[in-house]
Amino acid sequence: MKAIKTMVTVLCVITLMVGSGYIGAYMTQRNLTAQAEAPIQETAPAFINGSIEAVSLRAIAGREMSMPDLFDYANPSVVAISTQIMGRNAFGQQVPRPSAGSGFLVSADGYIVTNNHVIESAREITVLMHDGREFPAEVIGRDPLTDLAVIKIDVRGFPFLRFGNSDTARVGEQVAAIGNPLGELANSMTVGHLSALNRDVFIDGAYYNKLQTDAAVNRGNSGGPLLNAFGEVIGVVSAKHAGTGIEGLGFAIPATQAQEITAHLIEYGFVRGRAMLGVTISANHSQRVQIAVVAPNSAAAEAGLRVGDILLEINGEPLHAFTDLRRALDNAHPSDTWEILVRRQGQEITLVAVLGEAGA
C-alpha cells in the first residue's frame, strides 16, 4: 500500500496561550468484545432531543437507518472532551491550557473510548454529554502505540455504541462522523463514504493502518466515532490530511483493532501480551521495510539486526511495507521465534529473533 506521509494532522484542539490560533490534535474509537453478544434492545432511555418517540430507535440498531435516524440513534452516546494540560507561555512559564476532542460511550456504566493524544498529559478531564451535563473523568488506560485510550465517568444507564466489523467494510459505503469539531461545535455530524481500506498513514514518526473517508473531519473530531448506516462504530476518527487545496482526506482507526485494544485497556489498563521486536522503520521507504533504529537490549538487538537492514521475510512470509510487519507482530506472542531474512549491503542473510514483550 502507498503510505501518505505529508501534512497528516491529528485532530485534537489545543488552545495556545501564545496567540489565538489552534493547533491540530487526534481522534479514536472502539467497542467491547463482550458487547457483541449482548441483545440489541437496551433498557436505558435514549434521551434523544427530548423526544420519547426517538427511544424506539435503540431497538432498530443492526438495521440500515436513514442519516437523520442514525444521528438520533448515535448522538446520545457521543461526548465532547475538554482537558487541562500544562504548557509554557511566551515567558517560558508553565501554565495550564485547554484542549478539546471527542469520544463515545461503549458501556452503560460510563466507559468512553477516545484518542490517547486527546487525554495524554491531561491534569483534568471533563466530559460534556449531549444533553448539556458535565462529568469529571478518570483515565482507565492508554495505548500510545495505537493512539487509543479509555476514560470513565460515574454514570449509569446511558445508551452506548457497539463496534462493527471493519474487516467487512467496503469502499463506497456511506459513513458518518459525529464529534466536537474545533472544540466548540459539539454533536456535529458529517456524512460521506469510505474512500479506502488498509491505508498506510505516516503520523508523528510512525506508520498507522487506517480507514480513509471523505466525511469532513476537523480539529476536535479526534476520538469520535465513524459510523456505518447500521449504527455500528467501524472506526475511531484520528487524523486528516491537511494542506492548501486538499479536501476530504480523513482517517480512522479500524474498529476491529480498536475493539481489541479497548477490551485490554478496560480490563488491565494496558495492552497485555503484545509482542515486541524493537525496531523503528524508516519513513523514507514506504515500499520497503528498512530499519532506522534498533532499540538497545531488544529482541532485534539480540538477533543482530542493524540500522539499514531491509527486512525481506519473516518465517518465509514476504514483507512489502511496514504494515506487513505490524500485522505480523499483531499476530505474534512474546517468546515466539522468528527467522528473519534481511538484505544488508547487497547480501541476504537470515537472523533468528526471540520476540520480547512490550512494556516488559
Side-chain angles (χ1 to χ4, degrees), residues 141-155:
R142 303 188 300 109
D143 185 42
L145 187 62
T146 56
D147 192 28
L148 288 167
V150 174
I151 60 177
K152 190 178 188 302
I153 57 177
D154 187 15
V155 300

Side-chain angles (χ1 to χ4, degrees), residues 305-323:
L305 288 167
R306 300 178 186 175
V307 173
D309 285 352
I310 298 172
L311 308 186
L312 301 176
E313 294 182 357
I314 292 175
N315 293 338
E317 294 295 326
L319 301 180
H320 302 293
F322 167 80
T323 48

